[in-house]
Amino acid sequence: MSQSLLLLEVTCPNCRSLLTRGQHVPLGIHCVETGEDGEIRLSALFGDYAVETDLVIAEGATAEFWCPFCEQSLMVDTACKLCEAPLASLNLQGGGSIEFCSRRGCRGHALGGFGDLDEMIELLNRMFKIPHD
Ligand SMILES: [Zn+2]
Ligand SMILES: [Zn+2]
């Protein structure tokens, strides 16, 4: 494993539990189309869009995410800049938050899915503890 991999330590905005497990972020998922609940594992690696889930979610379908500890919804009242589906939000242990799209197949889907370059640079600075001048 390369040391340059960026591992995101994310926490629940409601109960503050650390959600990152190894290189994954396991979350609860509710498929809006089928009404089924299941589990999803997002990659905790910055910029890695891989997801694993036991639910069948059609490409383009949307899902709701919830915290496996407190079972509160992680959905926020903001729409994805790319596809306008609702976003889910997680807190970062170093401060701030990270949002991702709830639509399967959208580039905003996984944790690294930023639409905003400034936001990404700010996050990188924080992760490498680069002081602001
Ligand atoms: Zn929680
Ligand atoms: Zn989207």
Side-chain angles (χ1 to χ4, degrees):
M1 280 290 154
S2 159
Q3 289 189 331
S4 65
L5 290 177
L6 287 175
L7 196 69
L8 298 174
E9 299 272 22
V10 295
T11 60
C12 171
N14 301 302
C15 69
R16 317 267 161 204
S17 297
L18 180 65
L19 298 173
T20 302
R21 291 278 173 274
Q23 295 191 353
H24 295 98
V25 182
L27 297 174
I29 188 172
H30 174 78
C31 180
V32 178
E33 257 82 4
T34 63
E36 284 181 295
D37 287 311
E39 269 183 21
I40 190 164
R41 296 204 311 163
L42 307 180
S43 174
L45 298 177
F46 186 77
D48 180 357
Y49 302 102
V51 289
E52 292 166 29
T53 176
D54 55 359
L55 287 189
V56 180
I57 301 166
E59 199 74 8
T62 56
E64 287 172 1
F65 297 86
W66 42 274
C67 170
F69 294 95
C70 65
E71 300 189 356
Q72 292 289 307
S73 172
L74 298 167
M75 306 309 293
V76 289
D77 227 7
T78 312
C80 173
K81 284 177 200 161
L82 301 175
C83 75
E84 301 188 343
L87 292 179
S89 179
L90 296 170
N91 283 2
L92 289 166
Q93 200 159 50
S97 64
I98 192 165
E99 286 164 353
F100 58 96
C101 182
S102 61
R103 189 187 302 279
R104 176 116 205 204
C106 177
R107 270 196 309 123
H109 188 90
L111 293 175
F114 286 101
D116 188 335
L117 192 64
D118 288 342
E119 224 176 305
M120 193 175 94
I121 290 167
E122 202 188 294
L123 174 69
L124 289 175
N125 284 344
R126 205 155 52 216
M127 292 185 70
F128 288 119
K129 300 195 173 25
I130 297 168
H132 289 280
D133 49 13

